[in-house]
Amino acid sequence: MGKPRGGETAQRKELDRKTVAAIRSAAERVHGRIAKGQKPEMSFPVRTLQNVHYDKAKGYFEIGRAKKNRTLTVSTVRTFAQTLKMMALSKELVETNDFATKRDAYYQSKNWHEAAFSDQVESDTVMDDIEALFSVDGVSREQLRFIPDEHGGAVAGQLVVFDPDYATGTVHRIDCTQFGSGAYSIPSLVEHLTFETNAKFVLAIETGGMFQRLQSHRFWEKANCILVSMAGVPTRATRRFIRKLSDDAKLPVYAFVDCDPYGISNIYRTLKVGSGNAAHVSQFFCVPKTTYLGVTPQDIVDYKLPTHPLKDVDVKRAKDALKNDPFFRTYPVWARAITQLLDMGVRAEQQALAKWGLNYVIDEYLPAKLAKVGQFLP
Amino acid sequence: MGKPRGGETAQRKELDRKTVAAIRSAAERVHGRIAKGQKPEMSFPVRTLQNVHYDKAKGYFEIGRAKKNRTLTVSTVRTFAQTLKMMALSKELVETNDFATKRDAYYQSKNWHEAAFSDQVESDTVMDDIEALFSVDGVSREQLRFIPDEHGGAVAGQLVVFDPDYATGTVHRIDCTQFGSGAYSIPSLVEHLTFETNAKFVLAIETGGMFQRLQSHRFWEKANCILVSMAGVPTRATRRFIRKLSDDAKLPVYAFVDCDPYGISNIYRTLKVGSGNAAHVSQFFCVPKTTYLGVTPQDIVDYKLPTHPLKDVDVKRAKDALKNDPFFRTYPVWARAITQLLDMGVRAEQQALAKWGLNYVIDEYLPAKLAKVGQFLP
């Protein structure tokens, strides 16, 4: 714990003011139309793959201009009311410095009488709409104080996290070199965190087992880096944490995942540029400064790795990526790598390096890779 | 970081000596038979539900006396060799102070020539056999240095964890009140950890969302407790951590889970007494001092909670528990609670309490429950 650090709490309160202003302005548009005797309406960005594009320079999946309108009619009255109630909940959460998960919000609605949601799919859709609506103003769901149900991954290495208490201004100083064999667990909401680090890069790791190996052997000390365990497709909190860290400390991020279509297209692609059905949030969650350390299809050859045959679902996923994914279609070098994997017909896990010794990954593989970061897949 | 604390490293080395001695003794039995010109054989506890019993006094599922023998013949030669190689790997891991996940061990075998495993199911089975074999000597898989692929849950609250570095003896001091909105992430291997706490109990929480609420609002301070996020069925590392904490600090553990057959029979039952197909490890992993705080079937009535209908799989799971589960069959009060749930035909999530306000759980529900710990379900 320490003294308040200049500016963080002020910055946070400024963000909160901006969020409340955005909610108020949306509500005033509705109110204004009603006052003029017009039917109120709200306009939301369309959230489908067809309304997504990828621009290398921006570095993330962007939502397009297609909009859908929700006009107040007999048939939309309930959803319309729910949308306004949900916005009011968000405003209250910001003003009381609290937060709600999707489930919390659903159950809260049980006290909204006729506007109660009848199932969580309904309330999730309204929340997604609101998130898309305010993303246009650069306001993320987390700023609206709607937080994910899962919290984040684990972090270890050359990083100090500052976590200011909103109410008291007291700042917790969390030194990620001091967790022994354990780690720092990322909270659901990371907007208020700030960082201090001399690390050279962030290593985002797919499996808990590999993370534990690198952490227990203090690889972060040797390589002067920060380790993050994603445990599969990273949660929103984990992605946002890595993104903030990458932005604030100007650090590159290297992804270390299994060499299979899931590791490449679901985990890596989602981390770097976002996902198709949530493109409206990519601006907040993707980490454009990520490159792909490995395991690459060529590594399977170069390191004579033990493999498994590609399953049908792997082949389908890889072919989809080649054909339909705006990210992979932008980079011929990725198309070649995925084609190579399909031609070989096999996949390899990152832990396959253990064939050459449990710590081969620390003593040989990672140092060899890190000597050539310029050659990582984009 | 601090100075070495008396005894911990010594205790850890003593455990390692015991482990190596057990491996050596098993190997010598095999060697002895060969030297006498006899066929070598090894004898493993049978790992099925039929070979499990539950004794209230012991507090966990215990494996029975049924054994299967593995004699060296033409058809078993490969498995026999693999079993011995795996034991040798374990011995090497203990001696070099390293560890391997199931996957690591599988890939290591790729260098065992003809004894290489052809898939991970094979190597997992051999590892489970070895684990069962040495569990008879009171040696856990973690002492054999085989660690789970997933690491553990998140911890916050009135607890200091000491994590000694095996090589240097330096002890990391991890104060779980100091992580702001974040938390301590439990490592895969927890045998070497020790604790310091004045907390009155451990609260083991099913969902990340509820954990985050209690952590962000510093419920642990108010209630003088330790919060652990299980995120569904707790991993082995999480269960072992809670068990060690409960034993070493003599703390009761209260489970706070969803009121559905999954929360009751999979999460709670597994945490408290272990699981059927892994009864040989229950002695290390179950937490007999756990009681069930809620959400109870009666809470659904008393707190007028929003519910969902029980699904077919829920009904099946509940009926199985009543009919076949030695734990629930031991406690009539549990049988009544499960029957009540079946009769109501509904389930409720812990976050359903949000109907009464997001922080109703903190202000009303938990304090009311904690005033009557003696009435918790066993």
Side-chain angles (χ1 to χ4, degrees), chain B residues 43 52 63 94 165 189 193-194 205 208 240 336 347 350 354:
Chain B
S43 168
V52 166
I63 198 154
V94 176
D165 188 283
L189 199 59
L193 304 178
T194 53
I205 303 157
R240 182 69 188 143
R336 280 197 297 277
R347 60 191 174 85
Q350 54 181 181

Side-chain angles (χ1 to χ4, degrees), chain A residues 98-99 101 107-108 111 149 151 163 179 181 183 185 187-188 192 209 212-213 217 229 349 351 354-355 359, chain B residues 98-99 101 103 107-108 111 149 151 163 179 181 183 185 187-188 192 209 212-213 217 229 349 351 354-355 359:
Chain A
D98 210 331
F99 53 83
T101 65
Y107 287 116
Q108 269 277 290
N111 251 342
D149 270 298
H151 40 121
D163 187 339
F179 284 90
S181 54
S185 173
S188 303
H192 59 298
Q212 188 69 63
R213 175 157 304 280
H217 289 275
S229 167
E349 293 171 335
Q351 282 172 292
K355 177 189 174 187
N359 292 314
Chain B
D98 210 331
F99 54 82
T101 66
R103 281 189 193 194
Y107 287 117
Q108 269 276 291
N111 251 342
D149 271 298
H151 40 123
D163 186 340
F179 297 129
S181 54
S185 172
S188 303
H192 60 296
Q212 188 70 61
R213 175 157 303 282
H217 290 275
S229 166
E349 293 171 336
Q351 282 173 291
K355 177 188 174 188
N359 292 314

Side-chain angles (χ1 to χ4, degrees), chain A residues 241-280:
Chain A
F241 181 89
I242 299 177
R243 164 65 177 277
K244 256 187 85 77
L245 184 53
S246 159
D247 279 2
D248 295 1
K250 303 198 179 7
L251 290 182
V253 177
Y254 306 140
F256 182 24
V257 301
D258 288 347
C259 183
D260 56 30
Y262 190 78
I264 292 170
S265 114
N266 294 48
I267 298 180
Y268 175 69
R269 202 280 321 273
T270 302
L271 177 66
K272 181 174 175 119
V273 299
S275 63
N277 57 5
H280 58 291

Side-chain angles (χ1 to χ4, degrees), chain A residues 320-360:
Chain A
D320 266 4
L322 287 175
K323 192 172 162 214
N324 300 319
D325 193 307
F327 172 69
F328 294 110
R329 288 174 55 193
T330 303
Y331 293 102
V333 62
W334 261 121
R336 279 197 297 277
I338 294 172
T339 306
Q340 180 184 9
L341 195 67
L342 280 168
D343 289 347
M344 296 195 294
V346 294
R347 60 190 174 85
E349 293 171 335
Q350 53 182 182
Q351 282 172 292
L353 290 156
K355 177 189 174 187
W356 303 113
L358 290 171
N359 292 314
Y360 182 83

Side-chain angles (χ1 to χ4, degrees), chain A residues 160-205:
Chain A
V160 175
V161 179
F162 295 94
D163 187 339
D165 188 283
Y166 196 91
T168 63
T170 312
V171 179
H172 288 273
R173 182 183 187 280
I174 300 153
D175 182 343
C176 298
T177 65
Q178 294 301 312
F179 284 90
S181 54
Y184 168 63
S185 173
I186 301 171
S188 303
L189 199 58
V190 304
E191 302 308 316
H192 59 298
L193 304 179
T194 52
F195 307 108
E196 199 172 273
T197 180
N198 292 314
K200 287 188 298 183
F201 62 93
V202 177
L203 191 64
I205 302 156

